[in-house]
C-alpha cells in the first residue's frame, strides 16, 4: 500500500524536457488489486514568438480520467502563439 512519485526535468535555454511518474499500490484485499500507474514525458520549446508543448502519457487507469482519450496511451502537441499589441 502506498503512492510513489518521481519527477525530473532538464532545462537548457528555451528547451525543457521532463518526466513525471506515479505508481499507486493498493492495500491488501482491495477490490482493484493491481498497481495503478501514470508515466508522462513532456517537452516545451519557447521559440520567441510562442511555445510548442508536446506530451506523451501512458497509464493503466482509464476510469474517470480527465482526458479519457489519453488514458491508455496518448500524444499531444500544442502550439501557443504570443500576440503582441
Amino acid at each position: 500500500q502506498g503512492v510513489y512519485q518521481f519527477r525530473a526535468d532538464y532545462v537548457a535555454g528555451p528547451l525543457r524536457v521532463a518526466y513525471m511518474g506515479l505508481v499507486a499500490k493498493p492495500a491488501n484485499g482491495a477490490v482493484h488489486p493491481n498497481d495503478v500507474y501514470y508515466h508522462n514525458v513532456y517537452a516545451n520549446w519557447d521559440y520567441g514568438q510562442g511555445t510548442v508543448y508536446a506530451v506523451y502519457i501512458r497509464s493503466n487507469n482509464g476510469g474517470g480520467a480527465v482526458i479519457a482519450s489519453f488514458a491508455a496511451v496518448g500524444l499531444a502537441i500544442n502550439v501557443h502563439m504570443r500576440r503582441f499589441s
Side-chain angles (χ1 to χ4, degrees):
Q1 175 177 344
V3 176
Y4 305 93
Q5 298 181 59
F6 178 76
R7 176 183 171 155
D9 51 331
Y10 173 77
V11 179
L15 181 65
R16 173 188 298 266
V17 179
Y19 166 81
M20 293 185 297
L22 180 142
V23 176
K25 297 193 172 284
N28 291 334
V31 175
H32 183 69
N34 301 327
D35 293 355
V36 174
Y37 62 82
Y38 295 90
H39 299 289
N40 308 306
V41 177
Y42 70 89
N44 300 343
W45 175 50
D46 184 343
Y47 60 91
Q49 296 283 331
T51 306
V52 176
Y53 303 94
V55 63
Y56 174 79
I57 302 168
R58 180 156 179 95
S59 176
N60 66 344
N61 184 17
V66 174
I67 307 173
S69 62
F70 292 152
V73 175
L75 174 65
I77 297 175
N78 184 16
V79 178
H80 175 257
M81 300 292 292
R82 291 190 190 110
R83 189 171 179 172
F84 297 100
S85 50

